Amino acid sequence: MLTGMRLAMGTCFSTIVAAELVAPQSGLGYLIFSARTWMQTEVAFVGIVLLAALGFAADRLFQYAARRLFARHQSR
């Protein structure tokens, strides 16, 4: 069940990122979109790397929380 939750979290994160890129007014989506408009490739890559780091951190946080909460069930 935890693996399914982890996979669903990845899909949800992708959906949130896509929604933010559709009509950005602030945030990372705005940073990437405005960088694309003004041909600032390095700024766009910084935004993309930040999104990847947020996704990676969210995944690791979920794994850590799952290990801590269900530690006694995993030892069996």
Side-chain angles (χ1 to χ4, degrees), residues 1 47-49 58 61 74:
M1 184 184 322
I48 292 168
V49 168
L61 183 65
Q74 291 177 355

Side-chain angles (χ1 to χ4, degrees), residues 69-76:
L69 290 172
F70 301 108
R72 62 185 172 143
H73 296 292
Q74 291 177 355
S75 63
R76 291 182 186 180

